[in-house]
Amino acid sequence: MIERIHLSILRAIEREGSLTAAARTLHLSQSALSHAIRKLERRSGATIWSREGRRVRLTAAGEQLLIAANRLLPQLERVDDMLADYASGTFGALRIGMECHPCYRWLLKVVEPYLSAWPGVDVDVVQQFQFGGMAALFNHEIDILVTPDPLNKKGVQFEPVFDYEQVLAVAADHPLAACDVVRAEDLAGETLLSYPVDPSRLDVYVSLLTPAGVMPHRHKTVESTDIMLQMVAAGRGVAALPRWLIEEYQPQLAIVARPLGEQGIAKQIHLGVRRGDRGLPALEGFLELAAAHRGRV
């Protein structure tokens, strides 16, 4: 009953804002689009939209069909790309989603030899997700998810990449630089700098601040690692980051790393892939190179 064109029409209308613009995008006449939806309505017995002049308004059934279109069409388009790749003798693009902002530097060390070893494969890195990295993986928007927080979900397999310690970066002349261990109460008067991630997913909150019922004096988000650590060096705040990342910046910036909590915060980076994709040469090639760089940051 449902054909791909029906899903494409609804998505195009949502994106373009009108039936006329959608028809132009799909390279079809407006009457052809209307005819396709009327045919679906006759077959299903459900009304998909109502006309309001040049615009259309989706019914409840139409809204549900649009949700399905936004979920299914990216997967179908991925299949199209795969078939085209096999037809041309290439493997298309490997799309990597990042839920670990500082791991971008590690990723570069894997991507460089990968591009040399797989000249027919492009690499695309995505660092922001509308519905989260796992949803992007399930919806075939990405092929590999780099995350410090793997989830046990059916159909997804996670491979550990490397272990690291989450520590606090402070200026070399900051009072906390003299502490052997930074405790939750030590951060009550500090400006905490972090990437733009919800506090519920930040290790410094989950493992240290929240259990102690402590909040920093101020929480400020910064997208750039370079800017964040320059602010730390200037005494504008402190930041919870991987020890290896801080050590990379220490030759250029007057910053030091201090353990967070008596037990420290131990973390591990994982690569998540769909189980059904295991065995694909381009993906397996990346996992093999990632394994070769295990722990090398």
Side-chain angles (χ1 to χ4, degrees):
M1 185 183 298
I2 300 294
E3 299 177 11
R4 184 170 177 175
I5 185 60
H6 301 136
L7 303 179
S8 298
I9 290 171
L10 293 186
R11 187 177 67 172
I13 290 174
E14 179 195 34
R15 291 180 174 179
E16 302 300 328
S18 70
L19 190 62
T20 302
R24 185 166 52 249
T25 298
L26 296 173
H27 305 290
L28 296 171
S29 67
Q30 186 173 332
S31 61
L33 265 64
S34 297
H35 176 74
I37 297 300
R38 284 198 301 271
K39 185 177 179 181
L40 174 61
E41 289 177 329
R42 288 196 301 270
R43 289 180 176 178
S44 65
T47 301
I48 304 301
W49 67 34
S50 60
R51 297 290 296 272
E52 297 179 355
R54 295 184 178 182
R55 304 183 69 85
V56 297
R57 180 181 297 277
L58 295 181
T59 64
E63 291 286 354
Q64 290 300 312
L65 196 58
L66 176 60
I67 291 173
N70 287 331
R71 183 178 71 253
L72 296 174
L73 285 175
Q75 298 181 35
L76 294 174
E77 289 160 359
R78 176 60 172 160
V79 173
D80 289 340
D81 293 341
M82 177 193 68
L83 293 176
D85 293 341
Y86 277 112
S88 62
T90 63
F91 295 96
L94 190 69
R95 296 163 299 177
I96 303 171
M98 300 289 292
E99 281 191 337
C100 173
H101 288 73
C103 294
Y104 190 79
R105 287 177 173 266
W106 167 83
L107 180 64
L108 292 178
K109 298 177 182 180
V110 181
V111 168
E112 182 178 1
Y114 181 80
L115 291 176
S116 298
W118 292 85
V121 181
D122 293 330
V123 174
D124 186 19
V125 178
V126 183
Q127 299 193 62
Q128 295 182 348
F129 309 100
Q130 186 176 1
F131 302 107
M134 285 294 290
L137 188 61
F138 275 116
N139 291 336
H140 292 250
E141 296 169 21
I142 59 175
D143 304 301
I144 297 175
L145 176 63
V146 182
T147 180
D149 303 305
L151 296 176
N152 183 21
K153 294 289 186 180
K154 183 178 180 180
V156 175
Q157 178 179 339
F158 284 95
E159 298 285 346
V161 178
F162 61 85
D163 302 322
Y164 67 94
E165 180 188 6
Q166 191 85 339
V167 296
L168 191 72
V170 300
D173 58 355
H174 192 286
L176 291 178
C179 297
D180 293 331
V181 173
V182 175
R183 297 171 177 82
E185 54 268 26
D186 296 328
L187 299 179
E190 300 294 333
T191 295
L192 179 64
L193 307 176
S194 79
Y195 297 108
V197 177
D198 189 273
S200 65
R201 299 192 62 190
L202 291 173
D203 296 312
V204 66
Y205 278 92
V206 175
S207 300
L208 186 70
L209 294 174
T210 302
V214 174
M215 293 291 288
H217 174 68
R218 184 186 180 198
H219 182 186
K220 180 179 177 61
T221 60
V222 183
E223 292 193 6
S224 167
T225 301
D226 291 337
I227 298 299
M228 185 186 301
L229 287 177
Q230 286 177 10
M231 292 178 67
V232 169
R236 302 288 185 88
V238 298
L241 294 166
R243 181 181 291 276
W244 60 263
L245 182 64
I246 297 171
E247 290 174 350
E248 282 195 2
Y249 278 84
Q250 283 179 326
Q252 295 83 37
L253 297 173
I255 56 177
V256 297
R258 289 295 176 261
L260 285 164
E262 296 291 345
Q263 305 301 318
I265 300 179
K267 296 292 293 181
Q268 191 175 47
I269 293 301
H270 292 76
L271 299 185
V273 299
R274 293 178 294 273
R275 288 188 181 276
D277 287 348
R278 293 307 305 262
L280 294 177
L283 185 140
E284 292 296 332
F286 186 89
L287 295 180
E288 289 174 6
L289 277 173
H293 284 73
R294 190 184 304 273
R296 291 164 57 187
V297 293

